[in-house]
């Protein structure tokens, strides 16, 4: 799917992700693809995600990157730990528009006993729109009750 395709289709290989907590649930549905160890989180940009210029709001894209990094770390360790953001750095490279399918390509740098490091790029097709780098505190795994609520 390219940025020129406006629609609601989810690309093949992505499944609905029922994680992210109440905040991300308000931003919209998240989807995940895992192939050959790569973790990609995706979502469709809607009018509700835009700023006054009609492009995806930077804070929304930063939230997506932050959540994708945390979710990616959690998936990487198969849920044995959860993660809380300590630091997040973002660089905005280009824009996303309503109808765009945005993918967060997560790259785990290091998963230690107390902190974890990960990077991601948000992309629309092959166009990179945001670069993010995060440091995360390693926490205990989520409880079954938290998982049932979508955290």
């Amino acid at each position: 799917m390219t940025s020129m395709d406006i629609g609601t289709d989810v690309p093949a290989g992505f499944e609905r992700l029922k994680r992210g907590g109440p905040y991300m649930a308000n931003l919209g549905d998240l989807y995940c693809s895992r192939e050959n160890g790569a973790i990609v989180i995706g979502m469709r940009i809607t009018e509700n995600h835009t700023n006054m210029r009609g492009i995806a709001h930077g804070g929304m894209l930063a939230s997506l990157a932050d959540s994708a990094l945390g979710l990616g770390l959690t998936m990487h360790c198969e849920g044995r730990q959860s993660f809380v953001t300590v630091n997040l750095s973002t660089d905005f490279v280009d824009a996303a528009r309503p109808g765009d399918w945005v993918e967060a390509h997560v790259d785990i740098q290091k998963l230690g006993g107390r902190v974890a490091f990960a990077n991601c790029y948000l992309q629309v097709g092959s166009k990179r729109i945001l670069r993010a780098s995060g440091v995360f505190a390693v926490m205990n795994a989520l409880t079954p009750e938290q998982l049932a609520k979508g955290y």
Side-chain angles (χ1 to χ4, degrees):
M1 180 148 302
T2 68
S3 62
M4 301 306 285
D5 297 327
I6 300 206
T8 58
D9 295 342
V10 174
F14 281 86
E15 294 183 12
R16 173 83 164 81
L17 189 60
K18 295 181 177 118
R19 298 279 308 271
Y23 178 76
M24 283 308 294
N26 285 323
L27 287 180
D29 293 340
L30 295 178
Y31 297 85
C32 181
S33 170
R34 293 182 78 172
E35 284 188 34
N36 303 324
I39 298 169
V40 180
I41 308 294
M43 77 177 295
R44 180 77 56 197
I45 301 299
T46 70
E47 294 286 337
N48 291 338
H49 298 126
T50 62
N51 60 21
M52 294 175 64
R53 298 194 180 275
I55 59 176
H57 190 283
M60 180 269 161
L61 294 174
S63 290
L64 174 58
D66 182 34
S67 294
L69 288 165
L71 289 166
L73 283 161
T74 300
M75 288 178 205
H76 178 76
C77 72
E78 298 177 1
R80 290 186 299 274
Q81 289 108 358
S82 62
F83 302 86
V84 176
T85 309
V86 174
N87 184 52
L88 180 71
S89 298
T90 57
D91 297 301
F92 298 90
V93 180
D94 209 331
R97 292 171 173 71
D100 284 349
W101 175 257
V102 175
E103 294 180 354
H105 294 259
V106 178
D107 182 26
I108 309 303
Q109 299 298 299
K110 181 176 181 172
L111 178 54
R114 294 177 43 177
V115 294
F117 301 84
N119 299 324
C120 80
Y121 286 102
L122 296 189
Q123 295 180 199
V124 175
S126 62
K127 176 180 75 169
R128 289 182 173 170
I129 62 169
L130 182 143
R131 175 181 58 193
S133 175
V135 179
F136 296 82
V138 179
M139 310 296 285
N140 291 331
L142 296 173
T143 66
E145 293 81 15
Q146 290 171 310
L147 291 170
K149 290 181 180 179
Y151 285 96

mmCIF file of all heavy atoms in Angstrom, residues 69-92:
data_model
loop_
_atom_site.group_PDB
_atom_site.id
_atom_site.type_symbol
_atom_site.label_atom_id
_atom_site.label_comp_id
_atom_site.label_asym_id
_atom_site.label_seq_id
_atom_site.Cartn_x
_atom_site.Cartn_y
_atom_site.Cartn_z
ATOM 1 N N LEU A 69 7.846 0.942 20.339
ATOM 2 C CA LEU A 69 9.101 0.520 20.964
ATOM 3 C C LEU A 69 8.831 -0.345 22.199
ATOM 4 O O LEU A 69 9.421 -1.409 22.364
ATOM 5 C CB LEU A 69 9.949 1.736 21.332
ATOM 6 C CG LEU A 69 10.572 2.473 20.152
ATOM 7 C CD1 LEU A 69 11.081 3.844 20.589
ATOM 8 C CD2 LEU A 69 11.685 1.647 19.528
ATOM 9 N N GLY A 70 7.930 0.112 23.069
ATOM 10 C CA GLY A 70 7.595 -0.663 24.263
ATOM 11 C C GLY A 70 6.959 -2.002 23.927
ATOM 12 O O GLY A 70 7.304 -3.039 24.510
ATOM 13 N N LEU A 71 6.026 -1.991 22.983
ATOM 14 C CA LEU A 71 5.387 -3.242 22.561
ATOM 15 C C LEU A 71 6.408 -4.176 21.913
ATOM 16 O O LEU A 71 6.392 -5.386 22.144
ATOM 17 C CB LEU A 71 4.245 -2.950 21.592
ATOM 18 C CG LEU A 71 3.007 -2.297 22.201
ATOM 19 C CD1 LEU A 71 2.100 -1.744 21.107
ATOM 20 C CD2 LEU A 71 2.259 -3.285 23.079
ATOM 21 N N GLY A 72 7.289 -3.612 21.099
ATOM 22 C CA GLY A 72 8.309 -4.422 20.452
ATOM 23 C C GLY A 72 9.226 -5.095 21.462
ATOM 24 O O GLY A 72 9.563 -6.277 21.327
ATOM 25 N N LEU A 73 9.621 -4.353 22.486
ATOM 26 C CA LEU A 73 10.452 -4.943 23.538
ATOM 27 C C LEU A 73 9.705 -6.063 24.260
ATOM 28 O O LEU A 73 10.264 -7.134 24.516
ATOM 29 C CB LEU A 73 10.886 -3.870 24.543
ATOM 30 C CG LEU A 73 12.010 -2.960 24.087
ATOM 31 C CD1 LEU A 73 12.054 -1.683 24.922
ATOM 32 C CD2 LEU A 73 13.347 -3.684 24.142
ATOM 33 N N THR A 74 8.435 -5.825 24.574
ATOM 34 C CA THR A 74 7.626 -6.829 25.266
ATOM 35 C C THR A 74 7.482 -8.086 24.419
ATOM 36 O O THR A 74 7.603 -9.211 24.920
ATOM 37 C CB THR A 74 6.246 -6.257 25.627
ATOM 38 O OG1 THR A 74 6.425 -5.125 26.478
ATOM 39 C CG2 THR A 74 5.385 -7.286 26.347
ATOM 40 N N MET A 75 7.251 -7.913 23.122
ATOM 41 C CA MET A 75 7.130 -9.073 22.235
ATOM 42 C C MET A 75 8.465 -9.796 22.108
ATOM 43 O O MET A 75 8.506 -11.026 22.076
ATOM 44 C CB MET A 75 6.654 -8.630 20.859
ATOM 45 C CG MET A 75 5.226 -8.206 20.833
ATOM 46 S SD MET A 75 4.814 -7.667 19.157
ATOM 47 C CE MET A 75 3.460 -6.586 19.519
ATOM 48 N N HIS A 76 9.540 -9.036 22.046
ATOM 49 C CA HIS A 76 10.874 -9.610 21.911
ATOM 50 C C HIS A 76 11.180 -10.556 23.067
ATOM 51 O O HIS A 76 11.801 -11.612 22.875
ATOM 52 C CB HIS A 76 11.911 -8.499 21.826
ATOM 53 C CG HIS A 76 13.317 -8.963 21.736
ATOM 54 N ND1 HIS A 76 13.862 -9.482 20.579
ATOM 55 C CD2 HIS A 76 14.303 -9.012 22.673
ATOM 56 C CE1 HIS A 76 15.118 -9.818 20.799
ATOM 57 N NE2 HIS A 76 15.410 -9.541 22.055
ATOM 58 N N CYS A 77 10.773 -10.182 24.274
ATOM 59 C CA CYS A 77 11.040 -11.032 25.444
ATOM 60 C C CYS A 77 9.851 -11.930 25.765
ATOM 61 O O CYS A 77 9.799 -12.509 26.851
ATOM 62 C CB CYS A 77 11.452 -10.193 26.647
ATOM 63 S SG CYS A 77 10.112 -9.265 27.376
ATOM 64 N N GLU A 78 8.924 -12.033 24.831
ATOM 65 C CA GLU A 78 7.747 -12.907 24.947
ATOM 66 C C GLU A 78 6.948 -12.639 26.215
ATOM 67 O O GLU A 78 6.435 -13.561 26.848
ATOM 68 C CB GLU A 78 8.169 -14.364 24.835
ATOM 69 C CG GLU A 78 8.802 -14.664 23.484
ATOM 70 C CD GLU A 78 9.303 -16.088 23.347
ATOM 71 O OE1 GLU A 78 9.154 -16.896 24.291
ATOM 72 O OE2 GLU A 78 9.843 -16.383 22.269
ATOM 73 N N GLY A 79 6.845 -11.362 26.600
ATOM 74 C CA GLY A 79 6.015 -10.965 27.724
ATOM 75 C C GLY A 79 6.578 -11.260 29.097
ATOM 76 O O GLY A 79 5.882 -11.089 30.096
ATOM 77 N N ARG A 80 7.831 -11.691 29.168
ATOM 78 C CA ARG A 80 8.423 -11.991 30.480
ATOM 79 C C ARG A 80 8.680 -10.719 31.283
ATOM 80 O O ARG A 80 8.851 -10.776 32.490
ATOM 81 C CB ARG A 80 9.705 -12.797 30.310
ATOM 82 C CG ARG A 80 9.460 -14.223 29.822
ATOM 83 C CD ARG A 80 10.740 -15.037 29.807
ATOM 84 N NE ARG A 80 11.755 -14.497 28.927
ATOM 85 C CZ ARG A 80 11.854 -14.758 27.616
ATOM 86 N NH1 ARG A 80 10.989 -15.559 27.035
ATOM 87 N NH2 ARG A 80 12.818 -14.232 26.888
ATOM 88 N N GLN A 81 8.776 -9.579 30.600
ATOM 89 C CA GLN A 81 8.919 -8.282 31.251
ATOM 90 C C GLN A 81 7.986 -7.293 30.541
ATOM 91 O O GLN A 81 7.492 -7.554 29.453
ATOM 92 C CB GLN A 81 10.354 -7.752 31.154
ATOM 93 C CG GLN A 81 11.344 -8.494 31.994
ATOM 94 C CD GLN A 81 12.263 -9.352 31.154
ATOM 95 O OE1 GLN A 81 12.142 -9.429 29.945
ATOM 96 N NE2 GLN A 81 13.169 -10.050 31.806
ATOM 97 N N SER A 82 7.787 -6.158 31.191
ATOM 98 C CA SER A 82 7.137 -5.024 30.536
ATOM 99 C C SER A 82 8.092 -3.841 30.669
ATOM 100 O O SER A 82 9.114 -3.933 31.346
ATOM 101 C CB SER A 82 5.765 -4.741 31.153
ATOM 102 O OG SER A 82 5.897 -4.381 32.517
ATOM 103 N N PHE A 83 7.757 -2.726 30.028
ATOM 104 C CA PHE A 83 8.719 -1.634 29.915
ATOM 105 C C PHE A 83 8.047 -0.282 30.100
ATOM 106 O O PHE A 83 6.914 -0.077 29.650
ATOM 107 C CB PHE A 83 9.424 -1.699 28.551
ATOM 108 C CG PHE A 83 10.121 -3.002 28.349
ATOM 109 C CD1 PHE A 83 9.460 -4.106 27.843
ATOM 110 C CD2 PHE A 83 11.440 -3.154 28.745
ATOM 111 C CE1 PHE A 83 10.091 -5.331 27.707
ATOM 112 C CE2 PHE A 83 12.092 -4.377 28.623
ATOM 113 C CZ PHE A 83 11.406 -5.464 28.099
ATOM 114 N N VAL A 84 8.773 0.623 30.745
ATOM 115 C CA VAL A 84 8.315 1.993 30.950
ATOM 116 C C VAL A 84 9.370 2.924 30.361
ATOM 117 O O VAL A 84 10.570 2.765 30.626
ATOM 118 C CB VAL A 84 8.100 2.287 32.453
ATOM 119 C CG1 VAL A 84 7.708 3.742 32.673
ATOM 120 C CG2 VAL A 84 7.046 1.355 33.032
ATOM 121 N N THR A 85 8.924 3.902 29.610
ATOM 122 C CA THR A 85 9.840 4.818 28.937
ATOM 123 C C THR A 85 10.607 5.674 29.945
ATOM 124 O O THR A 85 10.019 6.295 30.826
ATOM 125 C CB THR A 85 9.067 5.737 27.973
ATOM 126 O OG1 THR A 85 8.249 4.934 27.131
ATOM 127 C CG2 THR A 85 10.008 6.590 27.148
ATOM 128 N N VAL A 86 11.928 5.705 29.775
ATOM 129 C CA VAL A 86 12.804 6.568 30.562
ATOM 130 C C VAL A 86 13.195 7.779 29.727
ATOM 131 O O VAL A 86 13.227 8.907 30.211
ATOM 132 C CB VAL A 86 14.065 5.796 31.013
ATOM 133 C CG1 VAL A 86 15.061 6.713 31.698
ATOM 134 C CG2 VAL A 86 13.685 4.638 31.921
ATOM 135 N N ASN A 87 13.481 7.551 28.453
ATOM 136 C CA ASN A 87 13.850 8.630 27.540
ATOM 137 C C ASN A 87 13.389 8.258 26.138
ATOM 138 O O ASN A 87 13.491 7.098 25.731
ATOM 139 C CB ASN A 87 15.362 8.846 27.553
ATOM 140 C CG ASN A 87 15.756 10.028 26.693
ATOM 141 O OD1 ASN A 87 15.216 11.124 26.842
ATOM 142 N ND2 ASN A 87 16.684 9.831 25.780
ATOM 143 N N LEU A 88 12.888 9.253 25.417
ATOM 144 C CA LEU A 88 12.484 9.050 24.030
ATOM 145 C C LEU A 88 12.994 10.235 23.220
ATOM 146 O O LEU A 88 12.724 11.388 23.562
ATOM 147 C CB LEU A 88 10.962 8.958 23.899
ATOM 148 C CG LEU A 88 10.429 8.745 22.487
ATOM 149 C CD1 LEU A 88 10.752 7.329 21.998
ATOM 150 C CD2 LEU A 88 8.923 8.976 22.440
ATOM 151 N N SER A 89 13.737 9.937 22.170
ATOM 152 C CA SER A 89 14.210 10.974 21.249
ATOM 153 C C SER A 89 13.550 10.740 19.904
ATOM 154 O O SER A 89 13.515 9.600 19.424
ATOM 155 C CB SER A 89 15.730 10.904 21.080
ATOM 156 O OG SER A 89 16.367 11.139 22.311
ATOM 157 N N THR A 90 13.058 11.802 19.302
ATOM 158 C CA THR A 90 12.412 11.670 17.990
ATOM 159 C C THR A 90 12.944 12.734 17.045
ATOM 160 O O THR A 90 13.273 13.849 17.459
ATOM 161 C CB THR A 90 10.882 11.823 18.083
ATOM 162 O OG1 THR A 90 10.572 13.086 18.673
ATOM 163 C CG2 THR A 90 10.253 10.711 18.896
ATOM 164 N N ASP A 91 13.019 12.362 15.783
ATOM 165 C CA ASP A 91 13.358 13.284 14.709
ATOM 166 C C ASP A 91 12.297 13.123 13.630
ATOM 167 O O ASP A 91 12.087 12.014 13.126
ATOM 168 C CB ASP A 91 14.740 12.958 14.124
ATOM 169 C CG ASP A 91 15.841 13.128 15.155
ATOM 170 O OD1 ASP A 91 15.985 14.243 15.677
ATOM 171 O OD2 ASP A 91 16.538 12.138 15.430
ATOM 172 N N PHE A 92 11.641 14.223 13.292
ATOM 173 C CA PHE A 92 10.595 14.201 12.279
ATOM 174 C C PHE A 92 11.228 14.489 10.923
ATOM 175 O O PHE A 92 11.855 15.519 10.734
ATOM 176 C CB PHE A 92 9.514 15.232 12.612
ATOM 177 C CG PHE A 92 8.831 14.933 13.922
ATOM 178 C CD1 PHE A 92 9.319 15.445 15.113
ATOM 179 C CD2 PHE A 92 7.722 14.112 13.953
ATOM 180 C CE1 PHE A 92 8.706 15.150 16.317
ATOM 181 C CE2 PHE A 92 7.095 13.804 15.161
ATOM 182 C CZ PHE A 92 7.591 14.331 16.345
#
